Amino acid sequence: MVVRSSRRDSGRWRAPVKPKPPPSLELATAESAAVEDEATFSRLGFFDLDLSGRSADGAEFAQCRFRGTDLSGARLEGARFADCLFESTNLANLRAEKSSMLRVRLSTARMTGVQWINGGVRDVTISDCRLDLSSWRFTDFSSVAFEGCNLTRADFQNADLRGARFTDCDLTGAQFSQATVTGTRFANCVLAGIGGVTSMAGAIVAQQDLAALSYTLAGALGIRIEDADGE
């Protein structure tokens, strides 16, 4: 089940609701952590496991904790993560289509090349993660905070980012074509060379970030910038 965000009023943003951890966790093993179609995992600790390259449709994870686990190259379609924590996890090149995250926190995770396509992300905090070359096309964001992340050349084409906030993030070369960003907040971010800058109407940008964005916008509109001497 994909969590779709509701229509949001422009300029309004709510901090993500924190995950609800279970009172205790059972440690997952290589056998109990077999990721397969329609599998359900609840209150499990996935610690230092190699789950790379796994493939499954409709898997559900509830109140689970991932730490030091390798999920790189996995393919999860229609997956659902609720009340989960990811710490120092390798999610590089994970492909998740029509999948959702609800009340999830990801920290210090490697997420280079993640493809979270046509999904839903609600009440999620992503902090100090490497998200370069990640793709979030056609995904809806509601109460999502990106904090201190490397998002260089990330792809947000056709995403609904009205419920997202970016703080201390590097978004160099990120793509925002056809994205909805009314009320999306950018604070202390690197916005040099972003694509689809004309789709940034309605975004809220910190004053110190405006200079780089203005040069990108001028280039997109074909505006020539000269110095005071006309050079």
Side-chain angles (χ1 to χ4, degrees):
M1 179 182 69
V2 175
V3 178
R4 291 294 187 186
S5 58
S6 60
R7 300 295 95 184
R8 293 173 289 277
D9 295 332
S10 62
R12 299 183 62 185
W13 186 81
R14 172 179 60 79
V17 175
K18 294 181 180 179
K20 300 176 181 177
S24 61
L25 284 172
E26 179 181 344
L27 290 181
T29 64
E31 293 75 21
S32 64
V35 179
E36 54 190 16
D37 291 352
E38 306 299 331
T40 299
F41 304 95
S42 180
R43 300 183 178 184
L44 288 178
F46 294 83
F47 299 155
D48 302 311
L49 294 176
D50 184 358
L51 302 176
S52 59
R54 303 296 177 92
S55 179
D57 294 345
E60 294 192 11
F61 300 82
Q63 292 188 307
C64 293
R65 187 168 188 170
F66 298 80
R67 187 174 65 206
T69 292
D70 187 356
L71 279 160
S72 61
R75 187 195 67 80
L76 302 174
E77 185 165 349
R80 184 175 185 267
F81 295 87
D83 295 304
C84 292
L85 298 171
F86 291 81
E87 303 162 283
S88 302
T89 302
N90 186 2
L91 300 168
N93 298 312
L94 167 73
R95 185 178 181 88
E97 294 192 22
K98 300 178 181 178
S99 298
S100 67
M101 285 187 275
L102 173 65
R103 294 186 303 274
V104 172
R105 182 174 182 90
L106 301 105
S107 58
T108 61
R110 184 188 175 198
M111 301 175 70
T112 298
V114 161
Q115 296 187 54
W116 198 277
I117 310 296
N118 197 24
V121 184
R122 188 172 76 199
D123 289 312
V124 172
T125 300
I126 305 176
S127 61
D128 301 312
C129 292
R130 183 173 177 178
L131 287 149
D132 52 313
L133 301 172
S134 60
S135 180
W136 306 85
R137 293 188 176 194
F138 296 96
T139 290
D140 287 354
F141 293 81
S142 179
S143 298
V144 177
F146 289 92
E147 302 170 347
C149 293
N150 178 353
L151 283 151
T152 56
R153 297 177 64 188
D155 187 353
F156 293 99
Q157 289 190 61
N158 296 99
D160 187 340
L161 290 159
R162 286 177 290 177
R165 184 169 189 163
F166 298 85
T167 306
D168 299 319
C169 292
D170 186 351
L171 286 149
T172 301
Q175 179 61 251
F176 289 92
S177 293
Q178 306 302 315
T180 304
V181 297
T182 303
T184 306
R185 285 169 165 79
F186 299 86
N188 198 30
C189 293
V190 180
L191 300 172
I194 63 174
V197 67
T198 54
S199 296
M200 298 289 285
I204 301 171
V205 180
Q207 184 175 0
Q208 64 268 25
D209 301 338
L210 190 58
L213 184 61
S214 63
Y215 278 98
T216 303
L217 181 59
L221 296 176
I223 297 173
R224 179 179 174 181
I225 300 175
E226 297 180 339
D227 59 22
D229 297 325
E231 298 180 354

